[in-house]
Amino acid sequence: MNVTPPYLMFLGDVPDALAAKTAQGVVDWRRDWCLAQLRLPGCGADLGLDEMTVPEAVAAGAKTLVVGVVNAGGVLPEHWIDTIVTALEAGLDVASGLHVRLGSIARIAAAAEANGRKLTDLRQPDRSYATGKGHKRTGKRLLAVGTDCSVGKKYAALCLERDMQAAGFDAEFRATGQTGVLIAGRGVPLDAVVADFIAGAAEWLTPDAADDHWDVVEGQGSLFHPSFAGVTLGLLHGSQPDAFVVCHEPTRTTMRGVATPLPTIAAVIEATIAMGRLTNPDIRCVGLCVNTAKLDEEAARALLAELAEEHGLPATDPVRFGSAPVVDEIARIYGRP
Amino acid sequence: MNVTPPYLMFLGDVPDALAAKTAQGVVDWRRDWCLAQLRLPGCGADLGLDEMTVPEAVAAGAKTLVVGVVNAGGVLPEHWIDTIVTALEAGLDVASGLHVRLGSIARIAAAAEANGRKLTDLRQPDRSYATGKGHKRTGKRLLAVGTDCSVGKKYAALCLERDMQAAGFDAEFRATGQTGVLIAGRGVPLDAVVADFIAGAAEWLTPDAADDHWDVVEGQGSLFHPSFAGVTLGLLHGSQPDAFVVCHEPTRTTMRGVATPLPTIAAVIEATIAMGRLTNPDIRCVGLCVNTAKLDEEAARALLAELAEEHGLPATDPVRFGSAPVVDEIARIYGRP
């Protein structure tokens, strides 16, 4: 799945910033790719980008209109269709994170066909995958795993990509979810792949590479989440990480969306190594990435020090304090570039 | 997914018995549901059933024409279509285990529509599922797990259903694959479910039940298979088994289709308990089901005795010697009905 930047970010008339979370994630990490935003009257979200019409964005070099919002029910509101059709007629591709498929809407399908433009549904794989093979590939891989869903795995991986690159590593973020795909310009919506092909899709995403190349892989779910652990295990086996970080949100007590208690960090490390060994016998934990957004700075620093001591691993909040301690640990183990 | 017996087994003109493995599995376990077979000239498979034409089968009470064969490339040969259309026009539903969707063939889709008949593609879920919830349900569940794919998990579960029922247990086989669905008349083709919904589909398959009811669940893959472990873990979490059996093929050295070595039985027991505890803290192993087809009887009995001793668990080849030792262990632990 490929999405071509630069993007014109279409926000429709969603009521608030939360509904534009996907678009905001792209702006946070690929500001240079986000040429402008296009909003309809009444829109309550604002990405802080220039406002442009479709013709203005095309003239400025935009390649893809990105529908990076969620709407009640996942449907595409009738009054957004004109903008999408206009974009297709003006020569833009369109990528959407809505549940509804762009191609299922007749006017959009017809406009894409007539103008030879590409429609990308970010929630649906646009190709098939082989089943996983399990043999060791060249190159190095780092996977973000978590004590739960939505604890900051994607942001941890993006911080690590940024900080590893700054330290001279050949590191590249590999996206496994829809926001990640927009940020990377390519990837796999792993949770939407057919069950038999989870590991195979993860293998496809992280192919053979140079010995000193690092794929920094966006994690999904948690081995301890009763809804999604199958996706997590398939990703672990398919991405065969050399190194992993454990992402954690310290104020959470039950797993997202269910009543299951949160596992300990130690349990996640142990299970990830026990299961990950199947496709990479040398798998090891290289750090803890803790989302301390709900703690003040003093409490955050104290917690990180305590966790580092307890687990004998670097612990940081990569968004708040950077991921340098983890990058240093990677350099210590695997060599500095 | 529901398929209504009795069945008319359609074998087309497949070259040999191996291509009719699915149909043979149904005959092995649900002989009473298999009214007759229908073969085209040149067919090299024979289920040993009466031969009937479509009108004869309808007159005898058949409800569904079952295409229980595999064909090179998974396609539906052009010259099979007439038989399927004839069946639909005569009032039969049609169920197919081919990769190609019945409804994607215009003449078949039209005949089903015109005659109000149901087309079931056994390889494709016919409904959506919620994500898994993870909370404990009532009733009891037994899951067949394996050291590998294709080691006899389905047959072990079916033997256990039969022998538990004979011992007075309220036991019911729960199908997670296409042959299993034909044998049970219902089920979920779990490997074809979208990744996010594996556990949820397994929960749907094994709902709340009476305290003394046992769902005997067909396993899929192996926690140690690098291609399919995600499916296995989602099934383990979703089916939340109280008890499991480990199925094993003693002459195999690498996992099916890949170069990964076979795990030990002890490793499978340990990992299944470690991961299965998430949704059922009381999960335990109640026996070993060993496929000894490649050993002579003396060697088979010696191996079973050795494995029973080594693991402190009943060990049997349920197809060859019955599953009574495992049923006795279940009765010992959970009480005799």
Side-chain angles (χ1 to χ4, degrees):
Chain A
M1 175 172 286
N2 287 275
V3 186
T4 311
Y7 303 149
L8 172 60
M9 308 300 285
F10 178 52
L11 303 183
D13 55 353
V14 296
D16 54 28
L18 191 62
K21 201 179 121 190
T22 294
Q24 186 63 55
V26 185
V27 173
D28 288 349
W29 288 99
R30 293 295 184 264
R31 177 64 188 80
D32 290 354
W33 288 5
C34 299
L35 200 64
Q37 65 187 15
L38 195 170
R39 305 189 294 167
L40 298 180
C43 182
D46 184 354
L47 303 173
L49 303 173
D50 292 346
E51 308 277 349
M52 286 191 191
T53 62
V54 165
E56 288 167 352
V58 170
K63 297 294 180 201
T64 303
L65 180 83
V66 171
V67 187
V69 292
V70 289
N71 199 61
V75 300
L76 184 64
E78 186 67 28
H79 61 287
W80 294 12
I81 297 177
D82 279 347
T83 305
I84 293 172
V85 168
T86 302
L88 292 164
E89 288 172 346
L92 297 181
D93 291 337
V94 177
S96 159
L98 295 171
H99 278 281
V100 64
R101 293 184 54 206
L102 290 169
S104 71
I105 296 161
R107 284 180 60 208
I108 294 176
E113 172 81 23
N115 295 281
R117 304 320 312 167
K118 189 169 72 166
L119 302 176
T120 301
D121 292 296
L122 297 162
R123 291 181 186 270
Q124 281 162 339
D126 61 352
R127 50 159 293 153
S128 59
Y129 300 94
T131 55
K133 298 289 168 281
H135 57 68
K136 188 75 181 69
R137 301 187 296 286
T138 55
K140 293 195 175 59
R141 289 159 197 87
L142 186 157
L143 176 65
V145 305
T147 50
D148 194 5
C149 303
S150 305
V151 288
K153 289 188 289 289
K154 177 172 66 252
Y155 273 45
L158 286 160
C159 289
L160 281 160
E161 180 200 45
R162 177 195 63 202
D163 297 341
M164 288 177 77
Q165 287 178 350
F169 285 93
D170 171 19
E172 187 173 6
F173 173 73
R174 296 294 191 182
T176 60
Q178 58 161 330
T179 305
V181 170
L182 289 172
I183 291 171
R186 61 183 293 277
V188 177
L190 202 68
D191 55 7
V193 169
V194 167
D196 248 6
F197 304 99
I198 307 171
E203 291 186 0
W204 175 88
L205 184 68
T206 59
D208 278 317
D211 274 352
D212 61 350
H213 172 84
W214 283 88
D215 280 338
V216 183
V217 185
E218 178 187 3
Q220 290 294 332
S222 164
L223 283 179
F224 292 86
H225 197 295
S227 312
F228 308 119
V231 181
T232 311
L233 182 58
L235 174 56
L236 176 61
H237 283 163
S239 66
Q240 53 177 229
D242 302 274
F244 66 92
V245 291
V246 177
C247 302
H248 180 62
E249 206 287 276
T251 68
R252 210 171 287 184
T253 54
T254 56
M255 312 283 283
R256 187 175 166 85
V258 295
T260 311
L262 222 68
T264 64
I265 290 172
V268 172
I269 294 173
E270 185 189 341
T272 303
I273 291 174
M275 303 307 287
R277 226 176 241 150
L278 182 74
T279 53
N280 192 335
D282 298 324
I283 184 171
R284 60 185 291 175
C285 185
V286 295
L288 311 178
C289 291
V290 185
N291 178 347
T292 64
K294 292 186 180 166
L295 305 179
D296 66 31
E297 182 165 340
E298 192 184 352
R301 291 200 185 275
L303 175 68
L304 293 171
E306 184 189 312
L307 290 173
E309 172 71 21
E310 179 183 346
H311 297 281
L313 289 165
T316 185
D317 180 333
V319 173
R320 195 170 191 171
F321 305 124
S323 68
V326 179
V327 177
D328 287 345
E329 177 77 354
I330 293 168
R332 188 185 68 76
I333 298 166
Y334 303 95
R336 199 165 284 277
Chain B
M1 175 173 283
N2 287 275
V3 186
T4 310
Y7 304 148
L8 172 60
M9 308 301 283
F10 178 52
L11 302 182
D13 55 354
V14 297
D16 54 28
L18 191 61
K21 201 179 120 189
T22 294
Q24 186 63 55
V26 185
V27 173
D28 287 348
W29 289 98
R30 293 295 184 264
R31 178 63 188 81
D32 290 354
W33 288 5
C34 299
L35 199 64
Q37 65 187 15
L38 195 170
R39 304 189 294 166
L40 297 180
C43 183
D46 184 354
L47 303 173
L49 302 173
D50 292 345
E51 307 277 349
M52 286 192 192
T53 62
V54 166
E56 287 167 352
V58 170
K63 297 295 182 199
T64 303
L65 180 83
V66 170
V67 187
V69 293
V70 289
N71 199 59
V75 300
L76 184 63
E78 186 68 28
H79 60 288
W80 294 10
I81 296 177
D82 279 346
T83 305
I84 293 172
V85 168
T86 302
L88 291 165
E89 288 172 346
L92 297 182
D93 292 336
V94 178
S96 159
L98 295 171
H99 278 282
V100 64
R101 292 184 54 207
L102 290 169
S104 70
I105 296 160
R107 284 179 61 208
I108 294 176
E113 172 80 22
N115 295 281
R117 305 320 311 166
K118 189 169 72 165
L119 302 176
T120 300
D121 293 297
L122 296 162
R123 290 180 187 271
Q124 280 161 339
D126 61 353
R127 51 159 293 153
S128 59
Y129 300 94
T131 55
K133 297 290 168 281
H135 57 69
K136 188 77 181 68
R137 300 187 297 286
T138 54
K140 294 195 175 58
R141 289 161 197 85
L142 186 156
L143 176 65
V145 305
T147 50
D148 193 4
C149 303
S150 306
V151 288
K153 290 188 288 290
K154 178 173 64 250
Y155 274 45
L158 285 160
C159 289
L160 281 160
E161 180 201 43
R162 177 195 64 201
D163 297 341
M164 287 178 77
Q165 287 178 351
F169 285 93
D170 171 18
E172 188 174 7
F173 173 72
R174 297 294 192 183
T176 61
Q178 58 161 331
T179 305
V181 170
L182 289 173
I183 291 171
R186 62 183 294 275
V188 176
L190 202 68
D191 55 8
V193 168
V194 166
D196 249 5
F197 304 99
I198 307 170
E203 292 186 358
W204 175 88
L205 184 68
T206 58
D208 279 316
D211 273 353
D212 61 350
H213 172 83
W214 283 87
D215 280 339
V216 183
V217 186
E218 177 187 5
Q220 289 294 331
S222 164
L223 283 179
F224 291 86
H225 197 295
S227 312
F228 307 119
V231 181
T232 311
L233 182 58
L235 174 56
L236 176 60
H237 282 163
S239 66
Q240 55 178 229
D242 301 274
F244 66 93
V245 291
V246 177
C247 302
H248 179 62
E249 206 288 275
T251 68
R252 210 172 288 183
T253 55
T254 56
M255 312 282 284
R256 186 175 167 84
V258 295
T260 311
L262 222 68
T264 63
I265 290 172
V268 172
I269 293 174
E270 185 189 342
T272 303
I273 291 174
M275 304 306 287
R277 228 176 239 150
L278 183 74
T279 54
N280 192 335
D282 298 325
I283 185 172
R284 60 186 291 174
C285 185
V286 295
L288 311 178
C289 291
V290 185
N291 178 348
T292 63
K294 293 185 180 166
L295 306 180
D296 66 32
E297 182 165 341
E298 191 185 352
R301 291 199 184 276
L303 175 68
L304 292 172
E306 184 188 312
L307 291 173
E309 172 71 20
E310 179 184 346
H311 297 280
L313 288 165
T316 185
D317 180 332
V319 173
R320 195 170 190 172
F321 305 124
S323 68
V326 179
V327 176
D328 287 345
E329 177 77 353
I330 293 169
R332 188 185 68 76
I333 298 166
Y334 302 95
R336 199 166 283 278

